[in-house]
Amino acid sequence: MSFRSQLLRSFVIGVVAMILIILIVLFPRQLDITVDRYKVVADYQFSWNVYGNNIIQFLKGVVQDHTLGMTRHHDETAGTAVLRSMSFSLIIIVTAFTISFVLGTLKGILDYQGSRRKIGFLGNWTTWLFQSIPDFLLLLLIQWLLIRYVPSLRIFTQEGWTAFLLPSLLVSIYPLVYIARITSASLAAQEGQLYIKVACAKGLPRTLVLCKHMLANCAGSILSHLNSLFVYILSNLLMVEYFMNYPGAAHRLFKAMDYSTSFGTGHNYEPGVIIGICFCFMLLLLFVQWISQISRTYLDPRKGV
Amino acid sequence: MRNLTLWIGAIMFTLLMFVTFAGPYLPFIDQTLTPEKHRWSQDERLILPPYEPSSHNLLGSDKDGVDNLSKIIVGAKETLLIIFSITALRYMIAVPLGLLAYQKKGLANSILTAWNQLFSYLPTLFSAVLLLSLPFLLFATWRLLWVIFILAAIEIGRVAYMIQQQTYQISREPYVEAGYALGLRPWRLTKSYFIPALMPEIIVHFCVDLGKVTLLIGQLGVLSIFLSQEWVEVGAMSMKLMNTSHNWMSLLASMRADIYVSKFTYIFYPALAIMFTILTFNVLGEGIRAHFNRRTHHSL
């Protein structure tokens, strides 16, 4: 498949996925709650009319009035809410993405190097152990320790450097381990290849072989995981923002779904906000996908052979 | 003892199975989970729950006086059953789909690619929340089955894609080409050529996926989305979805509010149990992988 049609394909699939998400989000969710003499009865009747109406209303709003509708706060449009929360989250996403990719690759190299020595199991063990701790447990533990032992660190603040650095660090822990695992696995897969033997036979130092020859060959397979890395970051983002009470997009998205234990989907369900934030996430994901596809094509050492 | 990882994994798995099936019959476990509303101390003083950890309640008790350890152990069977059924259902659909699409063309391939790409655009947790809060699922009689199906379906694409890639690679091997040349039927080719070569990879990924599913439903639990629930009246004309099972995820959900009043222990135990389960599956998967790798290295 040619390079350009690959980019186009991911774009088309992105559009289809967006349409599907819009359809799921606009699915009618209102319950009929009535009081039947002495008890409350909830009834749900699906009707195509309501569903169609939802879709038409939404499309009308987007195309004619250029709006996603209102939020639960009546003086705020969904558009501003989306942009505000995205601006909070974007800084976290970008920082976490950079931290996890750079440090993750480094840790992967160290893991691989370590696996050749006696302490090898240490690197791998830390990776598993980290992957096995549920993220909410880790978050709780960190919060608890910080509140208890480092009370001077203000973790719930929304200003100053801790406001975005701490959540970014928390978000990047799991993706970092993920990238480390992939890096060390793809380095290990190169082991014993002829080109490495040649490089070693030339008397090049091991570090040089690792950095210049092996990493260049692994770059493709590591970069192909960029989009799963991004999705990983997004799903971590929800947990971190939820526990830190950070006013970011993932938290806003969950809030807009308005899941309550009283009526399931409550009356404050905000389809506009959900669709808006999903759209932003998708744009970012598409962007990451394109970066990964482009860099894979241009960084491949076999290019032009 | 060369494969230490597999041994540790197997021991942890045995422990998990023992706790799950024999655990409820241990003498210090209260199978019925009866709340103990009050208790008299030795110097005739009234004690109210939650009780501190003691020889009577090894991990203490909750606000109704139900033993914490018993809750976790009684809930283990249901939790593991849910996790296993989600993962098994996922693989039951994904493996045939991946095998059907291994030539990277045809209807099966289109379904697989679309499925994989669609759900890869939104984190699994978001898709799960969005789908599980659909109104007709909230009060559905068979909610748990629906939940299992939806959680399995979200990641079918990813697993099928993995199977497809592996099978495609295998189909390039000389021995499979020999099979083609012999004119074997697709069924025979699948049964005797693909499946035996795929099996190690499937088992390893199955174990890793068990861990992933555990994490996912743990996260759902933290967000108070129950897997099975009932709508009951809790006050005058005010209804609430109440959790109807003892699985660990619902323990997490019901305890979450307690974190804010720094009652950390309640959520800590179920979370720890979840962590142990994930660790078991991860270590076991890694051990099995090492086991199969060792065999291939020997045969070379």
Side-chain angles (χ1 to χ4, degrees), chain B residues 4-297:
Chain B
L4 193 64
T5 324
L6 185 60
W7 276 98
I8 296 177
I11 291 169
M12 287 169 80
F13 187 68
T14 321
L15 192 68
L16 194 66
M17 286 296 123
F18 176 77
V19 167
T20 310
F21 291 104
Y25 303 103
L26 291 176
F28 49 88
I29 298 300
D30 174 23
Q31 264 195 70
T32 48
L33 298 180
T34 15
E36 206 177 338
K37 294 287 183 196
H38 63 89
R39 194 182 278 174
W40 294 98
S41 71
Q42 280 175 342
D43 47 347
E44 297 287 303
R45 291 175 68 138
L46 186 68
I47 314 176
L48 292 175
Y51 307 120
E52 297 284 309
S54 63
S55 59
H56 202 79
N57 299 112
L58 285 176
L59 297 181
S61 79
D62 69 359
K63 274 170 284 187
D64 295 323
V66 180
D67 186 32
N68 277 337
L69 184 65
S70 306
K71 259 173 141 177
I72 290 177
I73 289 182
V74 171
K77 199 184 285 177
E78 202 176 329
T79 314
L80 289 182
L81 193 67
I82 294 173
I83 297 168
F84 266 107
S85 16
I86 292 175
T87 322
L89 184 66
R90 186 181 289 172
Y91 274 73
M92 260 153 43
I93 303 176
V95 172
L97 188 65
L99 281 172
L100 277 176
Y102 85 94
Q103 284 169 325
K104 299 197 176 173
K105 56 187 177 204
L107 178 68
N109 183 46
S110 319
I111 297 176
L112 186 154
T113 320
W115 204 326
N116 181 29
Q117 297 269 357
L118 283 184
F119 282 109
S120 73
Y121 270 95
L122 205 61
T124 322
L125 184 58
F126 289 125
S127 322
V129 173
L130 207 56
L131 289 172
L132 291 188
S133 60
L134 283 177
F136 57 85
L137 284 182
L138 288 176
F139 309 108
T141 337
W142 296 100
R143 175 172 164 87
L144 189 58
L145 290 186
W146 275 105
V147 169
I148 289 175
F149 176 72
I150 288 177
L151 292 185
I154 291 174
E155 295 235 308
I156 282 178
R158 185 181 55 76
V159 176
Y161 179 73
M162 186 269 298
I163 302 275
Q164 183 199 30
Q165 297 293 325
Q166 297 279 344
T167 322
Y168 181 71
Q169 269 181 14
I170 294 170
S171 73
R172 290 298 167 98
E173 300 269 332
Y175 78 94
V176 181
E177 282 178 11
Y180 285 127
L182 282 172
L184 294 180
R185 285 167 186 278
W187 168 244
R188 175 77 195 282
L189 212 57
T190 310
K191 200 185 73 172
S192 318
Y193 284 67
F194 290 144
I195 297 279
L198 272 178
M199 218 50 200
E201 208 60 30
I202 293 181
I203 295 175
V204 169
H205 277 96
F206 188 82
C207 286
V208 175
D209 262 29
L210 282 174
K212 275 191 185 167
V213 170
T214 317
L215 178 64
L216 174 69
I217 50 182
Q219 288 170 332
L220 286 177
V222 170
L223 298 176
S224 307
I225 295 169
F226 306 128
L227 303 184
S228 52
Q229 59 194 12
E230 204 174 339
W231 208 48
V232 290
E233 189 162 4
V234 287
M237 290 295 169
S238 56
M239 308 292 288
K240 210 168 179 189
L241 289 169
M242 297 296 264
N243 151 49
T244 52
S245 85
H246 295 300
N247 64 55
W248 298 337
M249 321 315 160
S250 19
L251 290 185
L252 277 182
S254 46
M255 302 297 183
R256 212 185 59 81
D258 293 336
I259 305 165
Y260 299 122
V261 285
S262 75
K263 284 180 184 149
F264 195 65
T265 46
Y266 293 141
I267 199 159
F268 190 66
Y269 295 128
L272 213 60
I274 290 174
M275 177 180 152
F276 180 78
T277 316
I278 301 178
L279 191 65
T280 305
F281 293 136
N282 279 358
V283 173
L284 197 66
E286 214 45 55
I288 294 174
R289 190 200 299 270
H291 179 73
F292 284 122
N293 277 351
R294 187 192 57 181
R295 272 179 55 184
T296 51
H297 281 303

Side-chain angles (χ1 to χ4, degrees), chain A residues 13 113 127 140 144 157 236 303:
Chain A
I13 292 178
Q113 288 279 55
T127 312
L140 282 173
W144 184 61
T157 173
N236 261 324
K303 174 190 61 142

Side-chain angles (χ1 to χ4, degrees), chain A residues 216-289:
Chain A
N217 263 305
C218 292
S221 64
I222 298 173
L223 285 174
S224 69
H225 284 88
L226 270 190
N227 28 357
S228 13
L229 174 74
F230 188 75
V231 174
Y232 214 156
I233 285 181
L234 283 191
S235 64
N236 261 324
L237 194 65
L238 175 60
M239 278 295 145
V240 171
E241 286 182 354
Y242 190 67
F243 276 109
M244 307 278 289
N245 235 346
Y246 189 80
H251 192 191
R252 189 70 186 83
L253 181 62
F254 183 68
K255 220 165 146 191
M257 289 177 187
D258 196 35
Y259 188 86
S260 77
T261 43
S262 302
F263 296 113
T265 302
H267 294 287
N268 283 327
Y269 185 70
E270 297 151 303
V273 177
I274 302 180
I275 292 172
I277 291 177
C278 282
F279 180 71
C280 292
F281 282 166
M282 280 206 165
L283 271 187
L284 285 175
L285 189 65
L286 201 65
F287 184 60
V288 171
Q289 252 180 4

